[in-house]
Amino acid sequence: MTNIRITLMCLLLSLVSYQTPAQQKLATNPLIYADVPDMSMIRVGDTYYMSSTTMHMNPGVPIMKSTDLVNWELVNYCYDILEDTDLQNLENGKSDYGRGSWASCIRYHNDTYYVSTFSGTTGTTYIYSTKDIENGPWELKKFKPSYHDHTIFFDDDGRIYMIWGVRKLAIVELKTDLSGIKEGTERVLIEDASAPAGDNIMLGAEGSQLFKVNGKYYLFNITWPRGGMRTVVIHRADNINGPWEGKLALQDKGVAQGGLIDTPDGRWFSYLFRDNGAVGRIPYLVPVKWENDWPVLGVDGKVPETLDLPASKGLIPGIVASDDFKRKKKDADLPLVWQWNHNPDHSLWSVRERKGYLRLKNGRIDNSIFLAKNTLTQRTIGPECSGSTSIDVSNMKEGDFAGLVLLQKNFGQVGVKFENGKKKIVMVSGQTDTPEEVESLPLTQKTVYLKAECDFKDRKDVANFFYSLDGKNWNPIGSQLKMLYTLDHFMGYRFGLFNYATKVAGGYVDFDYFHIRNEISQTSKP
C-alpha cells in the first residue's frame, strides 16, 4: 500500500511540474540584440559557426560559435587588418568608414573552413581558409575584382562557384586552388532576381547565399520594393545553370537577407537580420518547413516572437563583455569582444605597462574622434545598455582629450580635456556636423569616472552621459544624444575608449576598467 501511495504521489508531482513547450522558457526574436549584420552560417556536427560584417573595425570578419543556434560567443577573426593603406590607417586625413570588408560567406568543405569576403576599398575579393576555425592559422587567397555580396559554393562534382551582383546576378567558376577565376566562365545567372517581388523595386536583389538540399539548388536574396520593406526572395533550380524559378519567400518587419541552417535532429531555420535603428542590424531566426521542395519561411508568413529553441543566456560575455584589464602572463592582451576603429598602432597602447590598466598613448596630433588612432570599441546592445569606465588623467598633456565615446557619425563624448594648463570634464555632442562642447566643469583630481547609457527600446535611440568623482554618485552632464544609424559608418553605435592629442604628442591616460551592463539607471529615464 505504501508503494502505491509513493507511486501516485510521484505521478501527481510530475503532472504538476510538467510544462508544455509553450510554457517552457524559449528563445525569442531578435536572436541577438546587437549589430551582427550580413550573417552567414554553417553547422559542422553539433556545432554552428557564423561570420558577420564589421566594416572598418579590426580585427575583422568575426567568427562566432554556438551549440544551440541561440547562445553565441566570439571565437576568432579572419584577419588582424585587411590591408595597410592610408584609408585604413587613418593617415593623411583619410578614413575607411562604412567600407572595409562587407558581407562574408562561410563554408565547410573537405575538412576545411572557408570564409570569403570582399572590399570596395581595395577592389579585391578575399578567401580565408583554415583547418582550425577557432584557433587558425588562416591562409589567404585574394584576387580582383571585388565581387559584391557574393556566395562561394562547393558543388558535388568538385567545381567551385561564386555568385554575386545586384538585381542581375552573375556566376563564375573559381580555380581549384581558389587563387582566382577561371577565364571565360563568367555568365549571367538570373537576369532580374528581384522579379518575384514585383517590378517597382528600390533595391535590386543582392546578398546572395546559395544552398543545395536534396539535389536542388536554392539561392537566397534580399530585395526592397519601393514603398514596401526588405523582402526575401528565393530561386530554385535542378541544375546550377538553370532554369531558375523564383518566389517571394518572406515579407514581414523588414526581416531579410540570410540563408538556411538545419539542426542535428532535422529541423530547419532561416537566419536573417533586421535594420533596427541606432543599435544596428540585428539577427533573427525564423522556422522553415518544406512544401513541394520549397522552403516556407515563418509561421503563416510571419516572423514569430518565440522559437522552439533554448532561451538566450544574454550577450555578456558572448558578444560583449566587461573588462578589468587584469592580465596573466599567458592571457591575450585583449579579449575578442574588443575591436579597434581602423588599423591600430600597437606601439601606442598596452595592458602590460601598468598592471590592471589599459594605457592609450598619443603619438601624433589629431583634431577629431574620427581620425584618432587606437579608439578601442565594443558593440552597444539592446534594448538598453550602459558602458562605464574609470580613467587616470595624471599624464595628459596640453590639448589632450580622453574618455568614453558613443561612436557613429552623430557621436557623443564624455571625457577630460586639458586646456590652458587645467583639466575639465566635458560632454561633446556630435549631433550635427559641427561638434559642440555642451557642458564642462573643472576637474581637480587625477581620477574620474565616466558613463554613457543607451535606450534603444521601440527605436527610441537616445543616449545620456554621466560623470562621477567617486565611482558611486553619478551626475548627468551635457545634453541627450539622439542616436542615428547612418550609412556613413554603416554600423550600430559602439562604445569606445579614446585618447588623442590636439597640441603636442606624448601624453597618455590609463583606463582602469570598462563595464558594460544590459540596463540603464532610473536617473536617465523620463
Side-chain angles (χ1 to χ4, degrees):
M1 207 53 191
T2 302
N3 288 337
I4 294 174
R5 287 196 193 97
I6 292 172
T7 303
L8 286 171
M9 187 176 294
C10 290
L11 179 60
L12 286 169
L13 286 171
S14 67
L15 289 171
V16 169
S17 61
Y18 174 75
Q19 290 181 311
T20 66
Q23 293 171 316
Q24 297 170 3
K25 193 171 183 181
L26 300 176
T28 59
N29 273 316
L31 183 66
I32 299 173
Y33 212 135
D35 193 49
V36 184
D38 305 327
M39 311 97 69
S40 184
M41 200 180 293
I42 56 170
R43 177 176 63 84
V44 180
D46 294 334
T47 304
Y48 304 91
Y49 292 102
M50 175 168 65
S51 64
S52 179
T53 294
T54 47
M55 302 287 179
H56 46 276
M57 296 291 172
N58 290 297
V61 186
I63 304 298
M64 288 158 273
K65 172 186 177 182
S66 176
T67 56
D68 60 12
L69 272 179
V70 176
N71 294 283
W72 294 87
E73 63 174 326
L74 280 158
V75 294
N76 207 348
Y77 289 92
C78 287
Y79 61 78
D80 289 325
I81 66 169
L82 184 68
E83 299 283 3
D84 184 10
T85 69
D86 280 359
L87 285 166
Q88 288 147 321
N89 290 329
L90 293 174
E91 297 284 357
N92 297 316
K94 297 181 179 180
S95 65
D96 204 29
Y97 290 104
R99 294 186 293 268
S101 65
W102 284 14
S104 58
C105 177
I106 186 170
R107 293 291 180 259
Y108 182 70
H109 178 69
N110 287 345
D111 300 320
T112 301
Y113 296 89
Y114 297 88
V115 182
S116 59
T117 186
F118 69 102
S119 175
T121 305
T122 62
T124 301
T125 297
Y126 301 81
I127 302 177
Y128 299 87
S129 62
T130 184
K131 294 287 186 179
D132 186 350
I133 195 169
E134 297 187 35
N135 301 291
W138 293 94
E139 180 183 355
L140 170 63
K141 300 289 179 67
K142 60 182 182 178
F143 51 85
K144 294 182 181 298
S146 172
Y147 288 113
H148 176 85
D149 275 15
H150 67 253
T151 180
I152 192 170
F153 184 77
F154 297 86
D155 212 344
D156 300 333
D157 60 4
R159 293 182 174 180
I160 310 168
Y161 297 96
M162 190 167 278
I163 296 171
W164 77 97
V166 179
R167 195 162 198 159
K168 178 187 288 188
L169 303 183
I171 186 171
V172 70
E173 192 173 343
L174 301 183
K175 297 176 181 178
T176 55
D177 66 356
L178 301 175
S179 62
I181 65 171
K182 288 186 177 180
E183 297 298 330
T185 61
E186 180 177 336
R187 61 191 182 279
V188 174
L189 187 71
I190 300 174
E191 188 67 37
D192 183 4
S194 302
D199 56 8
N200 190 16
I201 299 298
M202 180 172 68
L203 173 68
E206 60 176 11
S208 295
Q209 294 199 38
L210 182 65
F211 306 88
K212 195 172 187 179
V213 181
N214 295 330
K216 293 183 181 294
Y217 299 86
Y218 298 90
L219 181 62
F220 276 61
N221 290 99
I222 174 185
T223 192
W224 196 332
R226 198 174 305 278
M229 67 182 72
R230 290 160 42 89
T231 299
V232 181
V233 294
I234 301 175
H235 285 79
R236 182 184 73 177
D238 294 321
N239 187 295
I240 198 166
N241 296 310
W244 292 84
E245 55 179 329
K247 278 191 174 183
L248 191 155
L250 184 68
Q251 198 171 60
D252 184 41
K253 300 178 181 177
V255 174
Q257 190 165 338
L260 285 171
I261 193 74
D262 66 341
T263 65
D265 61 3
R267 290 178 294 161
W268 288 84
F269 293 88
S270 181
Y271 54 89
L272 306 161
F273 70 84
R274 181 185 189 185
D275 293 331
N276 209 70
V279 75
R281 298 178 289 169
I282 59 179
Y284 280 69
L285 276 181
V286 299
V288 171
K289 60 182 179 180
W290 291 86
E291 294 181 358
N292 300 320
D293 292 329
W294 281 99
V296 179
L297 277 57
V299 178
D300 297 325
K302 301 296 183 182
V303 176
E305 291 185 3
T306 60
L307 300 160
D308 187 16
L309 290 168
S312 172
K313 299 174 184 177
L315 298 182
I316 303 171
I319 305 297
V320 300
S322 295
D323 192 345
D324 289 326
F325 301 119
K326 293 179 172 64
R327 303 288 185 264
K328 296 178 181 178
K329 284 187 178 180
K330 293 184 179 180
D331 289 344
D333 281 356
L334 290 175
L336 296 174
V337 293
W338 289 111
Q339 286 177 290
W340 297 102
N341 177 22
H342 289 65
N343 294 349
D345 182 338
H346 292 299
S347 70
L348 296 175
W349 71 275
S350 174
V351 290
R352 308 285 179 177
E353 289 185 14
R354 183 181 177 186
K355 189 175 181 180
Y357 287 81
L358 165 71
R359 177 165 292 176
L360 294 182
K361 297 177 278 189
N362 292 328
R364 67 180 196 186
I365 308 302
D366 289 305
N367 290 302
S368 164
I369 184 64
F370 297 134
L371 294 176
K373 291 286 269 189
N374 288 7
T375 298
L376 188 60
T377 79
Q378 283 199 43
R379 292 171 176 85
T380 56
I381 58 175
E384 57 186 26
C385 64
S386 69
S388 60
T389 188
S390 169
I391 179 173
D392 183 339
V393 298
S394 303
N395 297 286
M396 295 179 76
K397 291 185 178 293
E398 179 71 26
D400 287 2
F401 185 18
L404 177 66
V405 63
L406 282 173
L407 187 62
Q408 235 275 3
K409 181 188 177 185
N410 294 3
F411 65 92
Q413 294 168 288
V414 59
V416 176
K417 282 186 177 182
F418 194 176
E419 288 183 346
N420 302 317
K422 296 180 180 179
K423 298 185 180 77
K424 60 180 180 178
I425 307 171
V426 303
M427 185 271 167
V428 173
S429 174
Q431 192 79 69
T432 68
D433 291 338
T434 305
E436 177 189 3
E437 185 177 301
V438 179
E439 185 179 352
S440 67
L441 56 133
L443 178 66
T444 57
Q445 59 190 53
K446 72 173 187 177
T447 301
V448 67
Y449 304 84
L450 309 169
K451 181 166 65 171
E453 297 191 337
C454 305
D455 188 348
F456 299 112
K457 294 190 302 295
D458 302 318
R459 301 201 186 184
K460 188 176 181 181
D461 292 351
V462 295
N464 293 283
F465 299 85
F466 303 84
Y467 75 94
S468 173
L469 299 178
D470 58 10
K472 299 176 182 178
N473 300 295
W474 292 95
N475 306 291
I477 185 172
S479 59
Q480 187 174 77
L481 178 71
K482 175 58 180 174
M483 296 181 287
L484 180 67
Y485 186 98
T486 72
L487 299 184
D488 298 77
H489 284 213
F490 222 151
M491 63 170 43
Y493 273 76
R494 291 258 175 159
F495 291 114
L497 304 179
F498 71 90
N499 179 32
Y500 59 93
T502 65
K503 299 289 185 184
V504 58
Y508 64 88
V509 295
D510 294 328
F511 293 89
D512 189 12
Y513 62 80
F514 173 78
H515 291 166
I516 184 168
R517 302 179 65 188
N518 59 350
E519 60 184 12
I520 58 179
S521 65
Q522 292 297 321
T523 57
S524 69
K525 296 179 181 179

